[in-house]
Amino acid sequence: MTLKKKNKLYEGKAKILYSTGYSYSLIQHFKDEATAFNAKKKEVIEGKGVLNNFLSEFFMQKLNSVNVPTHFISRLNMREQLVEKCDIIPLEVVVRNIAAGSLSKRLGIEEGKRLPRPLVEFYYKDDSLNDPLVTESQISTFEWATETELGEIFEIALRTNDFLCGLLSAVNLTLVDFKIEIGRSFRSEGEKLIIADEISPDSCRLWKTGTQQSMDKDLFRNDEGDIIEPYKIILKKLQETN
């Protein structure tokens, strides 16, 4: 199959999607832009897109290998991946293992407190509304996802959490929380659900084991230091260990 990048279909804060001429695949390009607080804080960080391309490739490949379905097909070059086209469900799915960030602020829970079980939250994807937290009842009422799909989303989210926790623990990192997006595959009958977008330190909160030292985008978000070196360290450790 000869791939040719065609029309730009979508440009977000950190990625661009292009058509390929094939109905079931897209090219996903990783940008160097770093954003926080719904793009109120923005900066170009040279090399971030390359690192997130390799990191997301690593995580997606590993999930595919244990039958957690993702949109990832192959990495094309330093900044681009071939991914399966899907219909994105307009929800950000967040899984939390430890209280931090907005959860601590919203509920007054001490940052660093381990939760008794993983907490799955849903946020409606709309930057103009600051991606509000929504309930399962609201999701069903407004038909963003069916009740059956919600059950599948919970299963995918929790299986992903279990797998990533073990993978990251092996390189002395604690998975505090993470965000994924879910899409309906165009290729499968019955609209199979798959993980889309990316999995990287941009979408995960990672602490060095036994500490609250950030190794993720919180370093940029909170003006705590450079993110390139920590991202390089994570990629190197994962590649060496796995």
Side-chain angles (χ1 to χ4, degrees):
M1 181 172 73
T2 302
L3 284 173
K4 185 176 180 182
K5 187 162 60 179
K6 294 198 170 186
N7 299 325
K8 182 194 290 188
L9 301 176
Y10 168 82
E11 181 166 3
K13 296 188 283 286
K15 290 176 293 297
I16 305 172
L17 291 175
Y18 296 94
S19 63
T20 62
Y22 293 89
S23 57
Y24 295 125
S25 64
L26 301 173
I27 290 174
Q28 179 169 263
H29 175 96
F30 287 77
K31 298 159 61 175
D32 280 341
E33 279 82 351
T35 65
F37 312 115
N38 278 328
K40 293 180 178 68
K41 180 178 181 178
K42 292 188 276 189
E43 187 177 326
V44 174
I45 301 177
E46 187 174 351
K48 182 180 85 76
V50 172
L51 287 165
N52 279 349
N53 183 21
F54 279 83
L55 282 158
S56 194
E57 173 196 21
F58 180 89
F59 290 124
M60 295 283 192
Q61 277 189 325
K62 290 293 186 182
L63 286 167
N64 283 337
S65 74
V66 294
N67 296 318
V68 178
T70 81
H71 74 162
F72 179 82
I73 299 171
S74 65
R75 182 172 56 81
L76 299 175
N77 53 49
M78 297 291 281
R79 289 189 177 273
E80 293 176 333
Q81 299 177 355
L82 182 66
V83 299
E84 183 177 338
K85 187 176 181 180
C86 61
D87 174 27
I88 296 291
I89 293 172
L91 299 170
E92 293 183 348
V93 183
V94 175
V95 182
R96 301 180 184 275
N97 299 303
I98 294 172
S102 63
L103 179 68
S104 292
K105 292 173 185 173
R106 192 170 69 241
L107 300 179
I109 299 172
E110 179 186 359
E111 185 151 294
K113 179 180 175 61
R114 181 164 285 278
L115 304 179
R117 62 180 181 273
L119 172 66
V120 180
E121 295 180 328
F122 299 99
Y123 295 80
Y124 181 55
K125 278 175 55 64
D126 188 326
D127 286 347
S128 68
L129 299 174
N130 292 317
D131 301 330
L133 179 70
V134 292
T135 65
E136 295 171 55
S137 178
Q138 288 170 327
I139 292 167
S140 296
T141 298
F142 297 115
E143 299 182 338
W144 297 324
T146 66
E147 290 187 12
T148 298
E149 286 176 331
L150 269 175
E152 291 181 44
I153 291 169
F154 268 105
E155 182 181 355
I156 289 170
L158 293 173
R159 286 183 64 200
T160 300
N161 184 55
D162 285 345
F163 185 74
L164 292 182
C165 280
L167 198 65
L168 291 161
S169 176
V171 294
N172 296 313
L173 290 171
T174 297
L175 181 61
V176 177
D177 54 49
F178 67 94
K179 171 186 76 73
I180 53 174
E181 294 184 16
I182 302 291
R184 300 179 183 98
S185 169
F186 288 144
R187 298 190 69 168
S188 305
E189 292 184 10
E191 296 185 329
K192 175 184 176 183
L193 299 186
I194 59 176
I195 297 174
D197 193 46
E198 70 176 294
I199 299 176
S200 74
D202 272 15
S203 60
C204 301
R205 185 171 274 116
L206 304 170
W207 290 348
K208 282 190 175 181
T209 298
T211 76
Q212 293 187 21
Q213 183 178 339
S214 295
M215 295 288 284
D216 55 70
K217 199 171 75 168
D218 269 357
L219 293 165
F220 166 75
R221 187 181 285 113
N222 301 326
D223 295 315
E224 294 176 349
D226 172 60
I227 64 173
I228 293 296
E229 194 56 33
Y231 284 28
K232 285 181 178 177
I233 290 169
I234 293 170
L235 179 60
K236 185 172 186 289
K237 284 185 173 182
L238 288 169
Q239 290 174 334
E240 288 175 349
T241 306
N242 295 275

